[in-house]
């Protein structure tokens, strides 16, 4: 009888941390960063608002017409039959009519033009007959129609954007509509990224005999390419415990977050683990997720540290499921973008072990009835980056799930909005 250790090929693995627990441990340990900067609104898209924006004025500022037509007193609307009213002037957007409009008369008015105070109703020009300076209208109209009231969009003193809002194009337009040209936004989060491994060479280098090109750092560059993040490139770090420690410690003085890939498993050459095992501030977890089982999380100096697995698909899966929510929390984002899921029928059998979450890569589409269906992108090894490149969605097989048969319903998380 030999004594073996648990591995990811066992039917049931013991000692694995459920995904939800890993994520909540990570999030509980990360306060939001402090510090902010002032930016012109044109530069603020994708940044995190660091103030509460209150409207100093009404939007729209004046009661105005919603259509091109004729403004009048609602008391002149006929209950039945028709009414005939003289047109006494014209109001254009930006050129209000200054005179007064007596009862029994009306004003030619264009969309956005200010309504004279005494008038309360606008007739669409298509609903009026105009002849010899008079309009004729029928009884279909209602008092108050086609008028946009001052402050109907936003009232003076109303909170329009909360601190922590991730600023979107409509938010930027909204700020401009209030006459606001600059806003305070959170400073950028600095994220240092490193690849580890003696076999890893940069794509512009000539590979050594047993070398492979570094893809992880480039996947991370791309995934972190957003306006609220500043990337520090730590390059490729060799499998040497002392060098790794020194580079991580150095990065821990400047960065808010360090993300490294590789070296966190249980192999002889898993130097990230060796280097940090005794630091006391980094824990090594076996998370119940495939791909992405080995995961390190902790603190190095001032920085949060994520040691992601080395396999390229595992890097992206752990990034999107664990690291990105952490970065959003550190950025103080209160309205996190939601990653919607669909329920789709799998068109093929999916093998799955209970007791861990499995993230397969799939192509989701609609069948001839318009129902969602999904198929995998073929071989699902955690090193096969093509399996993710070809995909448009993750297929999420939940912790308790067992294998699925063709025709079963599965949860699918489309990539849209994620990349
Ligand atoms: P490790 O966890 O360091 O043993 O890495 C696991 C697997 O991922 C090995 O096959 C590595 O060669 C591969 N790998 C590690 N880092 C990278 C990288 N930066 N780019 C591509 N493959 C990598
Ligand atoms: Mg390695």
């Amino acid at each position: 009888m030999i004594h073996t250790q648990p591995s990811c090929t066992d039917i049931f693995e013991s000692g694995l941390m459920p995904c939800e627990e890993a994520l909540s441990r990570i999030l509980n340990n990360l306060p939001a960063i402090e510090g902010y900067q002032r930016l012109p609104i044109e530069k603020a898209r994708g940044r995190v608002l660091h103030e509460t924006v209150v409207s100093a004025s009404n939007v729209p500022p004046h009661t105005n017409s919603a259509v091109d037509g004729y403004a009048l007193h609602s008391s002149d609307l006929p209950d039945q039959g028709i009414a005939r009213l003289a047109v006494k002037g014209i109001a254009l957007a930006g050129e209000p009519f200054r005179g007064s409009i007596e009862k029994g008369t009306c004003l030619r008015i264009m969309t956005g033009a200010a309504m004279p105070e005494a008038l309360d109703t606008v007739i669409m020009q298509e609903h009026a007959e105009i002849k010899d300076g008079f309009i004729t209208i029928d009884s279909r109209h209602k008092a108050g129609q086609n008028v946009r009231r001052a402050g109907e969009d936003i009232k003076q003193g109303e909170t329009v954007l909360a601190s922590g809002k991730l600023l979107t194009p409509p938010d930027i337009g909204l700020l401009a509509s209030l006459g606001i040209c600059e806003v305070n936004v959170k400073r950028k989060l600095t994220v240092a990224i490193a690849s580890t491994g003696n076999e890893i060479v940069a794509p512009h280098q000539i590979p050594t005999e047993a070398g492979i090109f570094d893809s992880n750092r480039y996947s991370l560059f791309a995934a972190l390419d957003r306006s609220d993040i500043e990337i520090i490139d730590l390059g490729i770090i060799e499998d040497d415990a002392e060098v790794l420690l020194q580079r991580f410690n150095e990065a821990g003085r400047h960065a808010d977050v360090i993300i490294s890939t590789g070296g966190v498993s249980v192999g002889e050459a898993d130097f990230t683990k060796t280097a940090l095992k005794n630091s006391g501030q980094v824990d090594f977890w076996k998370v119940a997720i495939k791909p992405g089982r080995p995961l390190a999380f902790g603190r190095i100096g001032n920085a949060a540290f994520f040691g992601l697995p080395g396999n390229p698909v595992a890097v992206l899966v752990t990034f999107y499921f664990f690291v990105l929510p952490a970065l959003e929390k550190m950025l103080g984002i209160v309205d996190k973008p939601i990653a919607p899921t669909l329920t789709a029928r799998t068109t093929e059998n999916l093998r799955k072990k209970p007791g861990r979450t499995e993230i397969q890569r799939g192509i989701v589409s609609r069948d001839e009835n318009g129902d969602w269906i999904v198929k995998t992108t073929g071989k699902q090894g955690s090193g096969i980056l093509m399996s993710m490149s070809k995909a448009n969605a993750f297929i999420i097989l939940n912790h308790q799930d067992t294998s699925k048969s063709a025709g079963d319903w599965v949860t699918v998380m489309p990539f849209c909005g994620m990349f």
Side-chain angles (χ1 to χ4, degrees):
M1 167 94 175
I2 58 163
H3 293 280
T4 59
Q5 298 193 343
S7 89
C8 60
T9 61
D10 296 345
I11 307 274
F12 281 100
E13 282 181 89
S14 55
L16 294 188
M17 189 186 294
C19 290
E20 297 72 26
E21 185 186 337
L23 183 60
S24 70
R25 280 203 198 193
I26 289 170
L27 297 181
N28 288 340
N29 270 291
L30 295 173
I33 53 165
E34 287 175 12
Y36 62 94
Q37 65 186 116
R38 200 156 176 78
L39 282 185
I41 58 171
E42 300 91 308
K43 301 272 179 217
R45 185 240 145 107
R47 300 297 297 270
V48 185
L49 190 63
H50 187 72
E51 61 179 297
T52 302
V53 176
V54 171
S55 177
S57 54
N58 282 323
V59 178
H62 318 284
T63 299
N64 66 85
S65 177
V67 296
D68 293 328
Y70 300 90
L72 43 74
H73 299 270
S74 56
S75 55
D76 285 333
L77 292 173
D79 288 335
Q80 51 193 23
I82 55 170
R84 210 162 158 260
L85 308 170
V87 182
K88 284 302 171 90
I90 183 163
L92 305 172
E95 281 178 50
F97 176 74
R98 308 247 176 237
S100 68
I101 299 290
E102 306 296 319
K103 285 216 166 128
T105 67
C106 69
L107 175 71
R108 176 87 172 114
I109 196 164
M110 299 300 154
T111 306
M115 289 282 285
E117 218 165 284
L119 306 184
D120 61 358
T121 300
V122 177
I123 308 291
M124 241 186 209
Q125 65 186 32
E126 292 85 342
H127 294 166
E129 206 178 282
I130 173 93
K131 201 168 174 211
D132 301 333
F134 282 82
I135 59 165
T136 307
I137 56 173
D138 59 19
S139 60
R140 75 178 92 168
H141 306 288
K142 288 199 170 57
Q145 71 181 20
N146 298 326
V147 174
R148 301 190 286 220
R149 308 240 122 245
E152 115 183 343
D153 201 354
I154 303 165
K155 296 236 167 352
Q156 187 179 0
E158 192 178 319
T159 296
V160 285
L161 295 172
S163 188
K165 174 96 176 60
L166 189 60
L167 294 171
T168 59
D171 297 334
I172 303 299
L174 192 61
L175 289 164
S177 80
L178 299 172
I180 295 170
C181 312
E182 292 185 338
V183 279
N184 289 337
V185 296
K186 285 257 184 220
R187 71 167 171 83
K188 291 188 184 199
L189 189 73
T190 25
V191 181
I193 56 175
S195 288
T196 71
N198 287 345
E199 78 279 30
I200 309 300
V201 294
H204 53 81
Q205 288 173 328
I206 297 162
T208 50
E209 200 188 333
I212 58 166
F213 288 123
D214 181 7
S215 65
N216 292 344
R217 204 158 38 96
Y218 294 86
S219 298
L220 289 175
F221 269 129
L224 292 163
D225 182 20
R226 38 187 280 170
S227 48
D228 51 6
I229 286 176
E230 176 138 356
I231 300 172
I232 300 175
D233 183 11
L234 302 179
I236 300 164
I237 311 180
E238 64 195 280
D239 281 326
D240 178 307
E242 228 166 89
V243 177
L244 279 162
L245 250 189
Q246 186 243 318
R247 300 291 298 281
F248 289 155
N249 282 330
E250 172 66 19
R253 284 193 273 278
H254 308 291
D256 299 305
V257 181
I258 302 169
I259 306 173
S260 79
T261 65
V264 290
S265 198
V266 292
E268 291 291 321
D270 286 318
F271 282 90
T272 306
K273 190 163 187 176
T274 318
L276 298 172
K277 208 159 61 180
N278 301 322
S279 78
Q281 295 185 72
V282 177
D283 285 327
F284 290 80
W285 300 339
K286 285 182 189 163
V287 181
I289 188 169
K290 183 191 177 188
R293 192 172 81 122
L295 186 68
F297 173 68
R299 189 152 273 286
I300 294 178
N302 297 321
F305 177 82
F306 291 90
L308 305 186
N311 278 309
V313 180
V315 168
L316 283 166
V317 167
T318 50
F319 177 83
Y320 284 105
F321 283 85
F322 301 110
V323 183
L324 188 58
L327 303 182
E328 289 169 341
K329 172 144 193 241
M330 293 179 83
L331 277 162
I333 298 172
V334 293
D335 62 330
K336 287 193 192 136
I338 49 166
T341 55
L342 304 173
T343 312
R345 264 183 212 283
T346 174
T347 59
E348 61 194 286
N349 296 338
L350 301 174
R351 285 191 54 199
K352 159 75 171 63
K353 276 190 219 168
R356 69 184 183 196
T357 303
E358 290 192 22
I359 311 292
Q360 302 206 359
R361 281 76 64 203
I363 298 171
V364 63
S365 61
R366 286 182 191 271
D367 66 10
E368 60 281 4
N369 302 318
D371 294 327
W372 293 114
I373 51 171
V374 68
K375 61 178 185 186
T376 68
T377 49
K379 280 194 190 139
Q380 294 289 304
S382 65
I384 304 173
L385 203 45
M386 274 294 280
S387 71
M388 189 151 170
S389 171
K390 281 196 240 165
N392 64 5
F394 284 131
I395 303 170
I396 301 177
L397 302 172
N398 293 311
H399 195 90
Q400 293 85 354
D401 285 353
T402 49
S403 294
K404 301 282 180 187
S405 308
D408 284 351
W409 292 98
V410 292
T411 302
V412 160
M413 185 186 280
F415 290 162
C416 55
M418 201 183 281
F419 305 152

